[in-house]
Every structure is written in structure tokens, then in C-alpha cells.
């Protein structure tokens, strides 16, 4: 395969979980493509070529394998050494937005998803090439190809003309298309993990006889766990390891394993993986660490060429506690208990901590995957597995890097509607990012970007493994709160105050209780109790009184959750009436959490007498954070999923022409001049303060007369390529009034920036308003990010910004506007009226659409973005474009 073809090739999963290679056709593919047509039945030849003769097949193979033809693209599906499908388009003429489509799939590969995979990749190639419509002629009785067009999810119009059907396929990837691609990907991905997580036969390669052998430890755990399938070992120096028959090599095994666990030296990994692939193994878990780049590439090549899914390398192993499988292919010291939490981690140490914690809490594990260096199987794959396994009720992730964050976001957003998805936000500090990079050979992403991803996807992001377990304990045992109002009950006033403070710091509210409820509580509590909130039940409170207090609070509706903070007292020890027992009797309709000072465990689940459990924490801050995460999840679920609004007055075709024209003149890319910026904004209907471009003193004076506001004042801004911070350079002159001031200012700028300045931007002085900032940056991993917050010259100092990943939905843009600390200024503050919120939302949505449509747009600043009650307009604009190819994050392909 040539380097060019290799760069444009992608492995992807067919509907049955098998791996196929999608790549451009090249000249030496002709004979193999012709063989595809030769093997087609006469009926399928008739449906493809309207004739069962052989000649059209020869002509089609010649055409597809001529990569030099302008306006023509052909993609092949390759399974092993066979070409099993071809999809191609050809423009009628250069520059056309329409192209003719042709598709063929090998007879024995029908209904396995080859056709839709080829179409998805061809759609991506065509859109990059400027094609917006496919046209295809088919016989009216060719129901198979009509079904493919329907299944792909794009809008198709059909026109019958005698025995032929004319189909027109619109290539705009709307939500319906993305959902169809997602569903195909979910189905294929889940099936592909079956050999990994539900294997019938496992071989441990590198199972040594010594006590320190990692392979032997894995084999021991498989044995002790009672693996339900067949176990084999590979060790050329032993006939048996851990009572398991051993064989000298993979090709000597008496059966083909579904899964091979590799614990061999790094240098031996590529050859061992290749041997496994040739033997027909369908999945690998590579425990080995320390692979260099060449070894890593060879390992992944072996997996791709033989269609094996891969976990690792550098991992702890995998587990599935289902009774039908009983798989523990890890070298952890303790076997995970069966339960309801799905766990995926990159760090083996974090994995051990989570397995131990979940087992201790009694939550247990449904399945566990230590992803390690994450060459192939990722958190996205596991989310889809847990979504389908009908066992998992909690998804716990520890990810130090993201391969395809926007695909992860869509998957997580869907899965989080069904089960809670929790993660540890790893790599928040610079030191943490360095450690994550060295540990996983993948750089972690900036905190703001990750937070945007988690917020939009409904992922609960915690700051530590302990906080993750704290939150998991509450979500596992308690209903979600209806809001963030918490009643704090304690048996010691100081403890209650600390708990109330912890709630406030976690973003919860501790409201004053209604008078009627206060009276009701006081009747149930010992004399001397105080029932405002926090509720001081006194040290004399017993289990019955505490139970009555908690039940009345949860039943009333004045609060959404109850936090009970208890200190050990001599009175409780003397009477034997531990108030904690009051939490364990009866049931409550709202969440209840306990703080038991002095307990040795960070968190434990106390079983209730009538079923269920109450989470008990060692400190109030942990309990409050867990409640806050639960409240945020409830809010996220209560809000309807957002949708991308349809924007009028948007012209992406003209915008692409502007960018293409700039890059044609400057192939290396750079900052657009003010005229280019204004034209791009105009393509998307983004309002800008009136302006004029002038290159001499007379033009400047004329523009000032034309643009001056009612008070006659204008601003002059010098410009030259590469100018970033105009104010710091002294390149902005304000409040100029009258021709003499304007001319003098123009001469001043020309003198100070002689030989540099290429022109002057003339604008009227803006009226009073709130100075905001809106911008975008294109992250190489996460894609475009939209930022919003307080603007002006102090924007970087104050750093009052929020961010969301593009494209924005109506819900995203509302949350983006309300997230910064400056948000109250927008809604009316101290008697001032609100700004034009609808106009502000439109500016952000249009900015999001612009960066989403133009992959070359890498930076854009609208600062200040002036917001007033009568409208919102950009005062200053900077836009940078670079020569970048369009990347479709939702295109189905393996890493």
C-alpha cells in the first residue's frame, strides 16, 4: 500500500464485529476488483450494471482504479486479501456540487454492513470535495440498494422513470444521519467485544512457572474465579501451569482461543500477536509494558490485519463477573465481587483501588477493563457495552486522554440518560498532565476543555478516586434529589454548623425551614432541640426520635435531601441507643446521607432493616460533594436534550470561498485582515459595529464623517499583519471628534508605525454596554471550543470564561451564557435592564456554526462583544485560519 493510500485508509467494524479496511482504490487493485465482479451472480450483475454481461465489470474496474481522473473518487472495502466492496462517485463537471454514485458489494458480504460503511466514508470524502448531492440510477426492483440508501440515514428523494429509479441523496449530515451512524457503530462495537468479555476459550501466553510471573498470576485468577470456558497456557518450558495444560507456541494449541492474554517481553509482543492473528484469535489483552514505537505499530498492525480487538498494552487485565462467564483475567490481588458497576481505567493502580472500594461497599462490578495505553478499545467502547449488557447500573471511568472526544461526548450523553456516568478528572494541573503523558504516552487535555466535555455529556466529574467512590455509594443507594435544598440534622451544634458550611461550599443550599415543620420537628425531638436548619437534635437524641425527625423532613417537601451528622457521645454508649440506628429503620422518599465522625472508613453503606442502604461518610465535605453531584445529575436529566437551531442568513459556501481564497494566497495560513474578518462574519450573520477601511489620510477623514455617531466621535485602529494586542501597542486612538483630530491621529499612527502599518480601521465610538468576550479555538484532539465571558482589555486577567464544545445546541448556549461570574450583569443588575439575550444567543450560535463549518478556522476573538438592551455587536474581531483538512469525528473507524 502506498503512503498516500495508507494516510487515507481506515479500519472499521462491520455489523458482525469483523474488521474491514476502507481505502482509496489504486491502479494495482484492478485485477482484484475485477475478481469481485467476476464472482457476482448474474442477478447481482444485472442489478448493478443493468446487464448480466461481463464487459461492464471490466469497464467498471478500469474506471475505479484510475486515481488520476479529475472529479472521481473510488473507495474499496478490503477483508484480508479480498476486495469485498467498492463505492465511487464522479462529478459531471469540475466544481459541480452533484456527483453520480455507484456501489457494489460481494455476494457473500450482503447484510453485513459493508455497503453502509462504504457510503459513510464516501459521503465524508465527497463533502470534503465540495459535493453536496449524490445521484444514482437503479432498477426499480433493486430493493437491496434502495434499502442501503434508506439505512444510511441521509435524506433520499426518488423518481420512477419506467423500469429505472432515479435517487438523489442529500449529503448534509443532520441529526438523523448521526443517530443512524451511532446505532450502527454501537451494534458493531458491542458485537466485536464479545470475544473479549464473553470468551469461550482463553489462552494465557507467557504463563511462567515462577511465583513472580504475571501470566501465572492471571492464570491463577482465572482458575480461582471459576472461568466458565476452556483455559490454555503457552509456555515452551512447561507441560502445565496452575493445573492448566501448556503448549510450546500459539500455533500448537489444540483449539483456537477467542481471547489471548499476552504476558511476554516487549520484544516478543508483535510476533506473538501476529501468531495469534494467524491462528484465528479474535481478541487480545496485552499486559506487557515498555513497548517502543516500532513495537507498538507492529502490534496494532497485527490486530488490524487479522481483525482482533485489543486491550492495552501496559494494562492490569479485564474481568466480567457474569455467572455465565466468571472471567477474571487480571493480576489483581483480590477478585472483584459481582455487582452493578462497569469500570474502565487507564491506570492499573486506580483500577485496583476502584475494584477494592466497590467490593468493600457491596456495589460490586459487572465488568472491568484496564485500558492501559489504549491502542484500540477505549472508554467509548465500554460505554456502549454497558449500555447494552442489561446489568450495569453505574459507569465509572478513569481516562487520562481522549482519542475521539466528540464521539465520546455523543455516546456518553446518550448512555448518561440511562445510567450515571462518573469519571475522575485526571491531569488538572501542569504536573498532573506531565505525569499522565508519561504514564499513557498521550497528552491530557486542558481542564476547561475537559470540563466542557463532561458538562455537555452529563458526565459526573470528580476530583479523586475517593470522591468517585463517595458519589457512587450515594447514587447506588439513594434516589436522586429533586433540587439542591438540604436539611442538616446533627446531635451536636458545632458538627451541624460544619456540615452546613460543607453543603454551602459544595453549591447546595441550607434553607430556613417553614414554621409548621419546625413545630412538628420539635415535638419529635428531645427538649432543648433547635429546629431552624441546621437542626440541632441535641446529644440526647435517640434512634426513635432521629428516625421521626428524618422521616418528617423527607416527607414534607421543604427540602430535597437530608444530611445527618452524628458525633459519638457517652450518652449513646451508656444507653446503647445509637442514633445511627434511627437512619436504618423505615424508608424515605428523598435521599438521606449520614456523616459518622470517627468511623475508620471514608465511606460505607449501612444496610437498612427494610432493604436498601444509607451511605455514611467520615466527613461532611465528602457527603456534601456526593449530594451536590447527585443534584446536578437530577438537574441534567430534567432538562430536555438540546437541539441545533436552524439559522437563517447563513452562507457556508461563500465562507469556504473566502477561506480558500486566503489560503491560496497564503498557503501557510495566518490572520485575516479586517476586510476578510468582516466578510466571514457577514456570511454567518454575526453583527459587527460599523467600520470602514482606509489606507490614507483623506480616506480616513471621509470615513470618519460618514461613520461618526450623534456625538461625532470616532475611533481609529492601526492594522498590520500579525498585530495581536492593539491597545498594548498604542495602536488604538479613541474619542476623536472633528476632521482635524482625525487627520492628526491618522498622521500620528502613520509616523509611529511607519513601514509596518498597512491601513486604518475607522469605527464610530460605541455606546455604553457590557463588554463581553466570545471566541473559538480549535483543539487538535477535542475539535472547536466556543468560549464566552467577561471581555475588554482585562479579559485575560480576570479569566471569567466558560466554554462548550461546538456545535452548540440551544441548551448549550443558554448554559454558556449563564455560567460565567459576570452572568448577573446580562440579566439586569442594580436597576439596569437586561441586555439583548436573544441577540447574544444568536451571536454565539452563529459563531459556533462558523467554526463547525470551517475546519481551517483555528482561532477567533470577538473582543469586546458589546451587549446592550437594543442589540449585541462585535467591536473588534480577529480570525486565524490554517491549512487543515476536514475531520469528521463521527465517521466510523477504529483508532
Amino acid at each position: 500500500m502506498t503512503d498516500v493510500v495508507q494516510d487515507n485508509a481506515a479500519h472499521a467494524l462491520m455489523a458482525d464485529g469483523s474488521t474491514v479496511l476502507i481505502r482509496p482504490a489504486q491502479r494495482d487493485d484492478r485485477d482484484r476488483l475485477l475478481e469481485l465482479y467476476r464472482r457476482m451472480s448474474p442477478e447481482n450483475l444485472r442489478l448493478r450494471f443493468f446487464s448480466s454481461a461481463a464487459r461492464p465489470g471490466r469497464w467498471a474496474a478500469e474506471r475505479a482504479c484510475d486515481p488520476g481522473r479529475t472529479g472521481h473518487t473510488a473507495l474499496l472495502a478490503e477483508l484480508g486479501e479480498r476486495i469485498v466492496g467498492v463505492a465511487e462517485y464522479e462529478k459531471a463537471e469540475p466544481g459541480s456540487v452533484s456527483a453520480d454514485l455507484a456501489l457494489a458489494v460481494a455476494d457473500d458480504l450482503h447484510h453485513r454492513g459493508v455497503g453502509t460503511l462504504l457510503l459513510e466514508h464516501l459521503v465524508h470524502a465527497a463533502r470534503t470535495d465540495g459535493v453536496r448531492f449524490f445521484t444514482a440510477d437503479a432498477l426499480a426492483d433493486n430493493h437491496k440498494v434502495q434499502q442501503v440508501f434508506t439505512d444510511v440515514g441521509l435524506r433520499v428523494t426518488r423518481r420512477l422513470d419506467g423500469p429505472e429509479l432515479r435517487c438523489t441523496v442529500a449529503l448534509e449530515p443532520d441529526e438523523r444521519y448521526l443517530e443512524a451512524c451511532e446505532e450502527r457503530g454501537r451494534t458493531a462495537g458491542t458485537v466485536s467485544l464479545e470475544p473479549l468479555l464473553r470468551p469461550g476459550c482463553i489462552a494465557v501466553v507467557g504463563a511462567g512457572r515462577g511465583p513472580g510471573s504475571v501470566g501465572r498470576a492471571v492464570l491463577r485468577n482465572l482458575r480461582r474465579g471459576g472461568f466458565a470456558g476452556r483455559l490454555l497456557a503457552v509456555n515452551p518450558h512447561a507441560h502445565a501451569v496452575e493445573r492448566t495444560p501448556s503448549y510450546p507456541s500459539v500455533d500448537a494449541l489444540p483449539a483456537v482461543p477467542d481471547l489471548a492474554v499476552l504476558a511476554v517481553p516487549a520484544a516478543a509482543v508483535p510476533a506473538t500477536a501476529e501468531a495469534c492473528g494467524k491462528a484465528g484469535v479474535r481478541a487480545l489483552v496485552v499486559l506487557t509494558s515498555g513497548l517502543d514505537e516500532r513495537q507498538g505499530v507492529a502490534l496494532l498492525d497485527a490486530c488490524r490485519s487479522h481483525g482482533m480487538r485489543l486491550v492495552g498494552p501496559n494494562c492490569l487485565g479485564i474481568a466480567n463477573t457474569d455467572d455465565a462467564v466468571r472471567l477474571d483475567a487480571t493480576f489483581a490481588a483480590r477478585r472483584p465481587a459481582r455487582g452493578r458497576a462497569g469500570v474502565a481505567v487507564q491506570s492499573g493502580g486506580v483500577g485496583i483501588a476502584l475494584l477494592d472500594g466497590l467490593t468493600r461497599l457491596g456495589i460490586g462490578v459487572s465488568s472491568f477493563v484496564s485500558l492501559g495505553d489504549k491502542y484500540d478499545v477505549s472508554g467509548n467502547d465500554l460505554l456502549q457495552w454497558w449500555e447494552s449488557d442489561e446489568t450495569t447500573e453505574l459507569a465509572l471511568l478513569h481516562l487520562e486522554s481522549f482519542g475521539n472526544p466528540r464521539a465520546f461526548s455523543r455516546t456518553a450523553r446518550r448512555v448518561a440518560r440511562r445510567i450515571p456516568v462518573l469519571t475522575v478528572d485526571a491531569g488538572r494541573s501542569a504536573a498532573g498532565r506531565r505525569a499522565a503523558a508519561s504514564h499513557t504516552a498521550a497528552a491530557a487535555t486542558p481542564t476547561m476543555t475537559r470540563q466542557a466535555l463532561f458538562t455537555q455529556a452529563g458526565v459526573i466529574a470528580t476530583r479523586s478516586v475517593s470522591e468517585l467512590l463517595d458519589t457512587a455509594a450515594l447514587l447506588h443507594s439513594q434516589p436522586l434529589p429533586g433540587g439542591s435544598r438540604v436539611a442538616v440534622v446533627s446531635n451536636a451544634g458545632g458538627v451541624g454548623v460544619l456540615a452546613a458550611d460543607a453543603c454551602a461550599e459544595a453549591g447546595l443550599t441550607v434553607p430556613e425551614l417553614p414554621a409548621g415543620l419546625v413545630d412538628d420537628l420539635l415535638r419529635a425531638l428531645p427538649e432543648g432541640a433547635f429546629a431552624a436548619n441546621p437542626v440541632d437534635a441535641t446529644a440526647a437524641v435517640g434512634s426513635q426520635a432521629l428516625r421521626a425527625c428524618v422521616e418528617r423532613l423527607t416527607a414534607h417537601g421543604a427540602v430535597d435531601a437530608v444530611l445527618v451528622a452524628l458525633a459519638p457521645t457517652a450518652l449513646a454508649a451508656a444507653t446503647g441507643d445509637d442514633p445511627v440506628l434511627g437512619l436504618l429503620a423505615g424508608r424515605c422518599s428523598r435521599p438521606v446521607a449520614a456523616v459518622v465522625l470517627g468511623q475508620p472508613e471514608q465511606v460505607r453503606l449501612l444496610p437498612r432493616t427494610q432493604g436498601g442502604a444509607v451511605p455514611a461518610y467520615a466527613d461532611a465535605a465528602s457527603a456534601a460533594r456526593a449530594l451536590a453531584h447527585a443534584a446536578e445529575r437530577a438537574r441534567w436529566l430534567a432538562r430536555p436534550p438540546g437541539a441545533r437551531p436552524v439559522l437563517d442568513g447563513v452562507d457556508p459556501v461563500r465562507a469556504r470561498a473566502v477561506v480558500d481564497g486566503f489560503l491560496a494566497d497564503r498557503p501557510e495560513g495566518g490572520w485575516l485582515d479586517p476586510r476578510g474578518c468582516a466578510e466571514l462574519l457577514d456570511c454567518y450573520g454575526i453583527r459587527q459595529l460599523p467600520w470602514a477601511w482606509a489606507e490614507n489620510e483623506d480616506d480616513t477623514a471621509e470615513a470618519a464623517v460618514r461613520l461618526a455617531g450623534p456625538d461625532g466621535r470616532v475611533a481609529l485602529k492601526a492594522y498590520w499583519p500579525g498585530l495581536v494586542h492593539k491597545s498594548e501597542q498604542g495602536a488604538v486612538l479613541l474619542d476623536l471628534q472633528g476632521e482635524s483630530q482625525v487627520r492628526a491621529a491618522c498622521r500620528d499612527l502613520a509616523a509611529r508605525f511607519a513601514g509596518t502599518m498597512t491601513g486604518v480601521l475607522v469605527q464610530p465610538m460605541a455606546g455604553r454596554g457590557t463588554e463581553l468576550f466570545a471566541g473559538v479555538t480549535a483543539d487538535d484532539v477535542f475539535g472547536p471550543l466556543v468560549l464566552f465571558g467577561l471581555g475588554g482589555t482585562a479579559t485575560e486577567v480576570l479569566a471569567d470564561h466558560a466554554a462548550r464544545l461546538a456545535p452548540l445546541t440551544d441548551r448549550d448556549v443558554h448554559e454558556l451564557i449563564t455560567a460565567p461570574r459576570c452572568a448577573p450583569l446580562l440579566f439586569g443588575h442594580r436597576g439596569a435592564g437586561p441586555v439583548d439575550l436573544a441577540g447574544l444567543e444568536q451571536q454565539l450560535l452563529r459563531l459556533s456554526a462558523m467554526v463547525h463549518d470551517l475546519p481551517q478556522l483555528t482561532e477567533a476573538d470577538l473582543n469586546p462583544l458589546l451587549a446592550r438592551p437594543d442589540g449585541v455587536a462585535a467591536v473588534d474581531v480577529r480570525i486565524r485560519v490554517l491549512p487543515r483538512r476536514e475531520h469528521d469525528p463521527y465517521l466510523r473507524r477504529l483508532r
Side-chain angles (χ1 to χ4, degrees):
M1 191 183 299
T2 67
D3 291 341
V4 173
V5 173
Q6 180 72 50
D7 290 344
N8 290 280
H11 287 89
L13 296 173
M14 296 189 294
D16 62 357
S18 302
T19 303
V20 66
L21 176 65
I22 308 293
R23 64 170 178 84
Q26 50 186 344
R27 294 187 190 280
D28 58 7
D29 291 318
R30 175 190 172 279
D31 290 343
R32 287 194 299 152
L33 182 55
L34 183 56
E35 187 64 22
L36 165 70
Y37 291 126
R38 283 175 177 161
R39 291 187 177 189
M40 288 175 66
S41 67
E43 175 62 8
N44 284 330
L45 282 173
R46 182 186 72 83
L47 294 175
R48 166 63 182 89
F49 297 113
F50 300 11
S51 167
S52 58
R55 183 178 300 174
R58 289 195 295 272
W59 173 80
E62 292 282 358
R63 184 183 68 170
C65 298
D66 182 5
R69 294 171 54 214
T70 303
H72 173 263
T73 295
L75 298 180
L76 303 179
E78 196 171 49
L79 185 62
E81 296 299 317
R82 283 182 64 199
I83 291 175
V84 296
V86 58
E88 56 188 312
Y89 72 81
E90 184 162 20
K91 296 180 181 180
E93 57 186 32
S96 175
V97 298
S98 178
D100 290 331
L101 167 69
L103 175 69
V105 175
D107 289 9
D108 60 329
L109 269 294
H110 287 187
H111 309 296
R112 290 178 63 182
V114 176
T116 49
L117 256 180
L118 280 166
L119 270 181
E120 288 176 31
H121 284 257
L122 195 69
V123 166
H124 172 68
R127 284 185 53 78
T128 304
D129 194 23
V131 176
R132 294 297 175 261
F133 297 93
F134 280 156
T135 57
D137 293 323
L139 292 174
D141 62 342
N142 191 347
H143 303 298
K144 292 178 181 178
V145 77
Q146 293 181 50
Q147 190 62 48
V148 170
F149 290 159
T150 300
D151 290 345
V152 79
L154 294 168
R155 183 167 51 86
V156 182
T157 57
R158 297 173 173 86
R159 180 171 57 84
L160 190 61
D161 185 8
E164 297 181 14
L165 192 68
R166 181 74 167 176
C167 299
T168 302
V169 184
L171 305 190
E172 190 59 39
D174 57 13
E175 188 63 24
R176 177 173 173 267
Y177 174 71
L178 294 179
E179 287 177 356
C181 293
E182 264 187 330
E183 180 57 25
R184 288 191 290 271
R186 185 191 66 78
T187 301
T190 301
V191 172
S192 77
L193 296 186
E194 287 280 342
L196 184 73
L197 290 169
R198 292 192 181 122
C201 179
I202 299 177
V204 179
V205 184
R209 292 177 293 180
S213 165
V214 171
R216 181 179 180 181
V218 171
L219 202 56
R220 184 185 308 120
N221 281 348
L222 284 165
R223 278 272 178 214
R224 291 178 178 176
F227 174 60
R230 185 176 183 181
L231 278 178
L232 304 169
V234 174
N235 182 336
H237 309 294
H239 295 293
V241 180
E242 289 290 329
R243 296 176 289 111
T244 302
S246 180
Y247 299 88
S249 62
V250 171
D251 55 14
L253 292 171
V256 177
D258 298 304
L259 169 65
V261 180
L262 273 56
V264 299
V269 166
T272 306
E274 181 66 24
C276 288
K278 288 180 178 178
V281 174
R282 299 168 63 197
L284 295 183
V285 173
V286 179
L287 309 177
T288 310
S289 61
L291 274 68
D292 60 27
E293 183 178 359
R294 180 189 59 81
Q295 293 162 344
V297 169
L299 167 62
L300 192 56
D301 283 349
C303 291
R304 291 291 175 259
S305 62
H306 296 289
M308 297 183 291
R309 297 307 307 266
L310 167 66
V311 168
N314 185 25
C315 71
L316 177 67
I318 63 173
N320 184 351
T321 63
D322 189 322
D323 275 343
V325 185
R326 299 193 299 277
L327 168 68
D328 181 9
T330 73
F331 55 93
R334 287 175 289 278
R335 190 168 78 248
R338 186 182 182 191
R340 298 291 187 176
V343 182
V345 297
Q346 282 189 254
S347 163
V350 171
I352 291 172
L354 287 177
L355 290 177
D356 288 349
L358 292 167
T359 298
R360 177 179 56 79
L361 286 168
I363 298 173
V365 174
S366 58
S367 54
F368 165 82
V369 176
S370 171
L371 300 166
D373 289 340
K374 208 169 60 170
Y375 279 21
D376 176 25
V377 174
S378 67
N380 206 34
D381 293 302
L382 273 302
L383 283 176
Q384 293 178 147
W385 176 268
W386 296 325
E387 182 184 20
S388 306
D389 72 357
E390 299 181 356
T391 301
T392 304
E393 295 178 354
L394 287 169
L396 275 59
L397 302 171
H398 172 261
L399 303 175
E400 295 167 350
S401 63
F402 291 88
N404 190 342
R406 284 197 279 175
F408 171 86
S409 177
R410 282 189 66 91
T411 301
R413 195 179 305 208
R414 185 185 69 245
V415 175
R417 289 277 163 190
R418 192 177 73 82
I419 61 174
V421 179
L422 299 86
T423 188
V424 179
D425 187 6
R428 295 187 302 274
S429 66
R433 288 193 291 275
R434 288 196 301 272
S438 63
H439 186 66
T440 66
T445 50
T447 299
M448 179 177 283
T449 311
R450 287 197 316 275
Q451 287 175 344
L453 170 70
F454 297 146
T455 298
Q456 288 171 273
V459 174
I460 298 170
T462 64
R463 299 175 67 84
S464 66
V465 172
S466 294
E467 187 179 334
L468 185 73
L469 289 170
D470 293 341
T471 308
L474 189 132
L475 292 173
H476 174 74
S477 62
Q478 298 297 303
L480 290 175
S484 58
R485 302 167 302 167
V486 178
V488 175
V489 180
S490 74
N491 64 347
V495 172
V497 170
L498 291 175
D501 289 344
C503 288
E505 289 166 0
L508 302 168
T509 59
V510 184
E512 189 173 345
L513 301 179
L517 178 57
V518 170
D519 293 340
D520 199 19
L521 295 175
L522 290 176
R523 284 192 291 271
L525 294 172
E527 185 176 352
F530 180 76
N533 199 13
V535 176
D536 182 358
T538 78
V541 69
S543 59
Q544 292 300 319
L546 186 64
R547 173 183 175 180
C549 174
V550 172
E551 286 181 344
R552 293 176 192 190
L553 282 167
T554 58
H556 187 277
V559 296
D560 303 299
V562 177
L563 178 60
V564 181
L566 299 172
T569 66
L571 187 58
T575 62
D577 186 13
D578 189 343
V580 173
L581 298 175
L583 300 176
L584 308 182
R587 300 186 71 88
C588 298
S589 59
R590 291 180 172 83
V592 176
V595 176
V596 181
L597 300 182
Q599 75 173 27
E601 304 92 341
Q602 169 65 24
V603 60
R604 55 181 173 146
L605 287 176
L606 305 176
R608 276 184 161 145
T609 56
Q610 298 182 21
V614 174
Y617 301 88
D619 64 271
S622 298
R625 284 193 294 266
L627 281 170
H629 286 309
E632 178 53 38
R633 172 162 173 76
R635 282 192 294 271
W636 186 83
L637 287 172
R639 294 190 292 260
R644 289 178 60 190
V646 177
L647 302 174
D648 58 7
V650 170
D651 190 351
V653 175
R654 182 161 68 97
R656 291 187 187 97
V658 172
V659 172
D660 291 345
F662 178 82
L663 291 174
D665 293 336
R666 296 184 58 181
E668 75 282 3
W671 295 94
L672 299 182
D673 65 23
R675 290 166 292 187
C677 291
E679 189 171 3
L680 265 192
L681 295 189
D682 186 59
C683 291
Y684 285 87
I686 299 173
R687 289 188 58 197
Q688 187 177 7
L689 203 67
W691 63 278
W693 175 256
E695 296 183 358
N696 56 57
E697 183 179 326
D698 289 340
D699 290 346
T700 302
E702 180 184 345
V705 172
R706 188 171 67 253
L707 292 176
D711 59 2
R713 295 179 303 141
V714 296
L716 299 189
K717 302 175 182 179
Y719 173 80
W720 60 87
L723 175 62
V724 179
H725 299 295
K726 291 186 285 291
S727 297
E728 294 177 8
Q729 298 277 348
V732 180
L733 300 178
L734 304 174
D735 292 313
L736 304 173
Q737 195 167 23
E739 182 177 348
S740 59
Q741 287 189 11
V742 170
R743 287 183 176 275
C746 186
R747 290 193 295 271
D748 173 55
L749 292 174
R752 284 192 290 123
F753 304 117
T756 303
M757 189 177 78
T758 57
V760 173
L761 197 69
V762 184
Q763 288 181 303
M765 287 298 298
R768 294 177 61 85
T770 302
E771 290 191 352
L772 303 171
F773 166 85
V776 295
T777 180
D779 186 277
D780 288 338
V781 176
F782 279 65
L785 186 76
V786 180
L787 291 88
F788 171 76
L790 194 63
T793 55
T795 184
E796 294 177 2
V797 176
L798 299 176
D800 181 20
H801 301 142
R804 294 292 184 272
L805 296 174
L808 298 179
T809 65
D810 49 2
R811 172 174 157 183
D812 293 333
V813 77
H814 175 75
E815 293 178 352
L816 188 58
I817 287 174
T818 56
R821 297 187 303 275
C822 69
L825 299 175
L826 310 179
F827 294 88
H829 184 66
R830 292 188 176 180
V835 304
D836 178 10
L837 294 171
L840 180 56
E841 289 187 354
Q842 280 290 310
Q843 293 281 79
L844 292 172
L845 286 168
R846 292 171 183 275
L847 184 63
S848 166
M850 182 170 72
V851 70
H852 180 67
D853 289 345
L854 305 173
Q856 303 91 342
L857 199 161
T858 56
E859 292 180 65
D861 287 352
L862 278 59
N863 183 34
L865 182 68
L866 193 66
R868 298 161 43 91
D870 59 351
V872 180
V875 177
D876 212 358
V877 181
R878 296 169 53 238
I879 297 175
R880 184 184 184 203
V881 297
L882 293 176
R884 291 161 56 125
R885 294 177 56 188
E886 183 175 357
H887 172 74
D888 183 354
Y890 310 120
L891 185 65
R892 287 193 291 150
R893 54 192 158 198
L894 295 170
R895 287 164 167 268

